Amino acid sequence: MAESLPDTLPVSPADPVLSVRNIETYYGPIMAIRGVSLDVPKGGIVTVLGANGAGKTTILKTISGVMDPQKGSVRFEGAEIQGRDPDWVARRGIAHVPEGREVFPFLTVRENLLMGAFARSDRGAVAGDLEMVYGYFPILQERSEQQAGYLSGGQQQMLVIGRALMARPRLMLLDEPSLGLSPILVKEIFGIVRRLNEEQGVTMLLVEQNANMALQAADYGYVLELGRIVMDDECSRLLESDDIKEFYLGVKKDAVRGKKRWRRKKTWR
Amino acid sequence: MELIQVLVAGIAQGCVYGLIALGFVLIYKATEQVNFAQGDIMMLGMFAAFTLIAIAGLPWWLGALAGIAITGVFGFCLDAFVLRRIIGQPQFAVIILTIAVGFVFRSAAGGVWGADPVSFDTPYGGLVVTLDENETGRTVIDAADLTIILGTLVLVGALYAFFRFTRIGVAMQASSQNQLAAYYMGIPVKYVISLIWGISAAVSCIAGILLAPKIATFDPDVGFLAITAFAAAVIGGFGSLPGAVLGGLIIGITEQLAQAYLPGEYARSIAPISGFVILLAVLLIRPDGLFAQIQRKKV
């Protein structure tokens, strides 16, 4: 197709690895994503914040091909990937780390990790990457011959991140890595996410309810409400925003009170 | 000596049930579909071998191998072109579809090969191993029984190695344990599932080819054997590969023992249903089956 819709957002100076334009995704008759656009620059960490049911996970599923958007486009490294099967998208270089620690429970930790490299053909490099993953998560090496179902929640979260890493992805989609973990583990996981970004150069799109951790780890943030982006900015600036402080960080200031805000239609009260 | 003879026959019969049960369980584990056409796929495999060996005149081993390969490809295509189209429909639709497909196969086989019993020659057909010989008679073991047992051992070992040590085998396990996560790893899950259907069909065909000399002749209704094999799979826990073989062995041995040692008229009536009696007992005592893998499904 020669003609394409004009981009509604200004194209960022650095060509984004991932650019999502005006996607609309439905669960049956219910529109879960109402025209979302976002960009992920190469080497960056971008976060999408939002409450339960805002549509964060649906955005990731639309990108990775589990759900197909009815409208809009998803471009990865310049090529349109919307409507493809999730395994095709994965082989293309996007690793989706789903929420809820989806391990292969009866495979060993090592087999789980090797499955992450299923689509790769460079056997030698895979062995090296296994060592690299063990370096980031030493506990996985200790447990390498155990069935993944017997790991604790935090270890399973490490395993799914490590498994995604084994694919050598050029973009990693991280869905709620903090879900159900203790504050100490959350800190550890986010520390490793940051390190993976800096040391391995993995571009990340991070979806979180834990706004504090996400804004500290990421460079750029989008705020999602009822399937729409209501705000987006550098994370440092979002951290200073009064609305973010009140509704996502739990810091309430008198000054914000009574003001007419973008957040009139709250999903929870 | 007679007991050994009965036990060997029972183990052999059980191996056949176990292999067919393996076919059920392989598909169930990967897709949570129950393939009620399993027995009819075995029947088609037997007729494929019959056509190649008895009609086309190929040597037994070549005809058997070709029959197994053809049946495997047939199973692959059955999933890729028929079953894949109803992904996402209720379980019920899959069950009805496979039952209907089974009917189609049976009547098609009747049309092509006729309803009369047929047979094909095997290099070991009619051979026996003599255990004991005295004035009252001989105690023998049928070579067909031994080949069934040997063939099952080799096949089970090969399947174990395949699922445990090959990359595609481990990917099959992964796909059946967590399909969505397998997609996220870039595993071509739809292809993997079709491949499992192919393996399942090939295993059924092997069961049928091993069984053929034991039952001497077969007709398009030979697939009803799978009903007993289904009971074997349930006894084993319907999700466990070792359980399926064990369930088959339990039923096979019980049938032969009932046949040999129950008095007169009882032997004929009870032996064929003894497997289902065990099934009921297992379901009463251990409803998940002997080897149930307890796994909480995430919603």
Side-chain angles (χ1 to χ4, degrees):
Chain A
M1 286 238 275
E3 55 179 333
S4 60
L5 291 170
D7 286 350
T8 49
L9 289 185
V11 179
S12 46
D15 228 8
V17 173
L18 180 82
S19 70
V20 173
R21 285 292 170 274
N22 298 318
I23 52 167
E24 290 181 4
T25 307
Y26 288 76
Y27 283 101
I30 299 157
M31 197 200 264
I33 300 296
R34 301 157 177 261
V36 163
S37 299
L38 56 85
D39 283 323
V40 182
K42 193 170 171 56
I45 302 185
V46 171
T47 183
V48 177
L49 303 176
N52 256 341
K56 305 180 302 278
T57 298
T58 311
I59 291 182
L60 293 193
K61 284 186 171 173
T62 307
I63 295 169
S64 65
V66 176
M67 301 188 69
D68 294 340
Q70 297 222 331
K71 282 189 187 148
S73 69
V74 180
R75 282 174 173 276
F76 177 61
E77 295 176 338
E80 293 203 357
I81 60 165
Q82 75 273 15
R84 293 288 192 155
D85 280 342
D87 53 320
W88 186 90
V89 173
R91 288 195 293 274
R92 186 103 193 170
I94 298 182
H96 186 155
V97 181
E99 70 182 322
R101 312 191 277 270
E102 302 279 350
V103 298
F104 302 120
F106 301 112
L107 296 186
T108 65
V109 169
R110 193 168 158 277
E111 285 170 333
N112 264 272
L113 290 172
L114 289 177
M115 276 297 110
F118 179 84
R120 293 171 57 180
S121 47
D122 45 345
R123 291 287 176 88
V126 169
D129 284 358
L130 195 61
E131 291 308 311
M132 183 261 290
V133 169
Y134 285 153
Y136 282 101
F137 306 103
I139 186 73
L140 295 183
Q141 184 159 29
E142 265 172 56
R143 305 250 160 149
S144 63
E145 295 307 317
Q146 251 177 41
Q147 285 191 359
Y150 293 117
L151 298 184
S152 72
Q155 291 162 358
Q156 290 191 354
Q157 186 61 54
M158 294 176 190
L159 178 58
V160 290
I161 293 176
R163 191 178 61 184
L165 212 53
M166 290 296 292
R168 280 258 162 207
R170 296 190 296 285
L171 171 65
M172 197 186 262
L173 309 176
L174 269 173
D175 198 348
E176 299 260 9
S178 74
L179 191 75
L181 300 185
S182 72
I184 293 176
L185 267 174
V186 170
K187 259 199 145 144
E188 192 182 336
I189 297 268
F190 272 92
I192 291 174
V193 165
R194 193 76 239 191
R195 273 178 61 205
L196 287 174
N197 174 253
E198 282 160 11
E199 297 167 14
Q200 306 294 327
V202 185
T203 309
M204 303 212 185
L205 177 56
L206 167 70
V207 148
E208 256 302 339
Q209 280 194 61
N210 187 337
N212 190 22
M213 289 309 298
L215 288 174
Q216 282 176 28
D219 314 316
Y220 199 87
Y222 292 85
V223 180
L224 193 68
E225 280 256 321
L226 287 173
R228 285 200 183 86
I229 303 274
V230 291
M231 205 178 184
D232 68 282
D233 211 333
E234 303 284 332
C235 285
S236 51
R237 281 213 285 264
L238 285 179
L239 275 167
E240 294 306 311
S241 148
D242 288 336
D243 289 324
I244 296 288
K245 274 186 182 167
E246 178 171 354
F247 292 112
Y248 289 97
L249 303 176
V251 185
K252 200 166 181 181
K253 275 189 185 161
D254 287 346
V256 197
R257 268 200 170 156
K259 225 179 176 183
K260 192 181 172 190
R261 293 183 304 268
W262 49 269
R263 220 167 185 285
R264 270 179 314 179
K265 284 190 197 168
K266 282 206 310 183
T267 52
W268 42 270
R269 276 164 225 280
Chain B
M1 277 305 146
E2 195 199 343
L3 182 63
I4 291 176
Q5 191 182 14
V6 170
L7 281 179
V8 169
I11 290 170
Q13 185 70 34
C15 285
V16 172
Y17 292 144
L19 289 182
I20 304 171
L22 267 186
F24 278 113
V25 173
L26 280 171
I27 288 176
Y28 179 75
K29 274 183 79 127
T31 63
E32 298 192 0
Q33 296 168 342
V34 181
N35 172 25
F36 283 100
Q38 198 71 35
D40 301 297
I41 293 175
M42 175 188 83
M43 177 270 297
L44 287 182
M46 292 170 81
F47 273 99
F50 162 75
T51 308
L52 292 168
I53 297 166
I55 297 178
L58 290 180
W60 175 82
W61 61 271
L62 192 61
L65 281 182
I68 292 163
I70 289 169
T71 314
V73 171
F74 182 78
F76 182 96
C77 294
L78 186 62
D79 179 65
F81 297 117
V82 181
L83 267 299
R84 192 182 290 176
R85 292 181 190 281
I86 61 162
I87 284 180
Q89 303 293 327
Q91 273 279 335
F92 189 66
V94 179
I95 291 172
I96 294 299
L97 179 67
T98 56
I99 291 176
V101 162
F103 268 103
V104 171
F105 291 166
R106 210 148 53 235
S107 46
V112 175
W113 290 288
D116 296 329
V118 297
S119 66
F120 54 81
D121 288 333
T122 50
Y124 53 90
L127 292 183
V128 292
V129 178
T130 305
L131 286 181
D132 187 27
E133 196 164 7
N134 54 33
E135 57 278 5
T136 55
R138 291 197 303 165
T139 313
V140 295
I141 290 176
D142 197 342
D145 285 344
L146 291 179
T147 43
I148 289 174
I149 296 169
L150 202 67
T152 303
L153 281 175
V154 171
L155 184 59
V156 168
L159 282 175
Y160 175 81
F162 174 74
F163 283 116
R164 187 80 178 71
F165 300 118
T166 69
R167 201 159 70 121
I168 188 78
V170 179
M172 282 176 182
Q173 287 193 60
S175 306
S176 79
Q177 289 171 22
N178 193 334
Q179 205 173 92
L180 192 60
Y183 270 116
Y184 288 146
M185 301 299 101
I187 297 171
V189 177
K190 287 177 183 165
Y191 169 78
V192 161
I193 287 173
S194 296
L195 217 53
I196 288 174
W197 272 77
I199 292 174
S200 164
V203 169
S204 304
C205 180
I206 294 172
I209 287 175
L210 289 172
L211 175 71
K214 183 174 165 74
I215 56 175
T217 64
F218 56 93
D219 60 33
D221 283 341
V222 70
F224 285 119
L225 207 70
I227 296 175
T228 312
F230 183 80
V234 174
I235 289 175
F238 222 99
S240 158
L241 299 178
V245 178
L246 186 77
L249 287 175
I250 290 174
I251 291 185
I253 293 171
T254 316
E255 276 187 7
Q256 293 294 327
L257 286 176
Q259 184 92 45
Y261 295 112
L262 282 180
E265 67 266 35
Y266 291 112
R268 299 195 65 180
S269 54
I270 290 184
I273 61 159
S274 56
F276 300 100
V277 175
I278 294 177
L279 172 64
L280 282 177
V282 168
L283 288 182
L284 282 174
I285 298 161
R286 216 181 130 84
D288 288 331
L290 295 177
F291 274 66
Q293 256 178 351
I294 309 295
Q295 180 190 12
R296 202 161 48 89
K297 280 269 169 198
K298 282 188 190 142
V299 186

